[in-house]
Amino acid sequence: MASWLSTMTSSGRLYEIDLRLRPDGDAGVLAVSLDAFEQYQLTHAWPWEHQALTRARFAAGDNAVGERFETIRKKSCCCHATRPSCAMRSPRCATRSRQATPTKPTCLI
């Protein structure tokens, strides 16, 4: 499957894929069930994985699967609104807190 997806065409590579980016790295399976995908996104995904999902779209296949993916995608990308411990919220809140805290100027001489 990986070699088929990365086939060179007259217009260039079909898709650029990196199988090391799977949750389990090179040891992981190529595809998981929608339930497993949802569970991973809502409980274990890193912020960059949620950020990548903001650009993901269903492209082909069973419409019911596409609708379910879109539901999971929206829920994952908006997890900070429903799950306070979301990994995406903590870094943003910490940064905002640092920016809002005035610092005392220091003399460099």
Side-chain angles (χ1 to χ4, degrees):
M1 177 120 171
S3 64
W4 179 78
L5 285 172
S6 58
T7 298
M8 285 299 287
T9 68
S10 60
S11 299
R13 188 169 305 281
L14 188 59
Y15 290 101
E16 187 81 30
I17 60 171
D18 187 346
L19 298 179
R20 297 171 298 174
L21 296 175
R22 293 173 287 169
D24 295 324
D26 287 333
V29 295
L30 288 178
V32 296
S33 69
L34 285 171
D35 290 333
F37 175 72
E38 180 175 28
Q39 180 69 21
Y40 177 80
Q41 288 299 322
L42 295 177
T43 60
H44 301 296
W46 289 83
W48 67 266
E49 292 174 292
H50 288 203
Q51 291 168 341
L53 274 184
T54 64
R55 305 285 296 177
R57 298 293 181 269
F58 173 73
D62 186 333
N63 285 335
V65 173
E67 290 170 10
R68 175 93 191 278
F69 170 77
E70 186 63 17
T71 299
I72 296 168
R73 186 183 76 82
K74 286 180 180 176
K75 191 188 313 183
S76 299
C77 292
C78 298
C79 73
H80 63 276
T82 59
R83 191 172 51 142
S85 63
C86 177
M88 289 183 74
R89 184 176 181 148
S90 298
R92 282 196 312 244
C93 290
T95 300
R96 287 181 186 150
S97 177
R98 283 193 308 272
Q99 291 171 342
T101 305
T103 57
K104 187 176 182 180
T106 58
C107 181
L108 298 176
I109 300 176

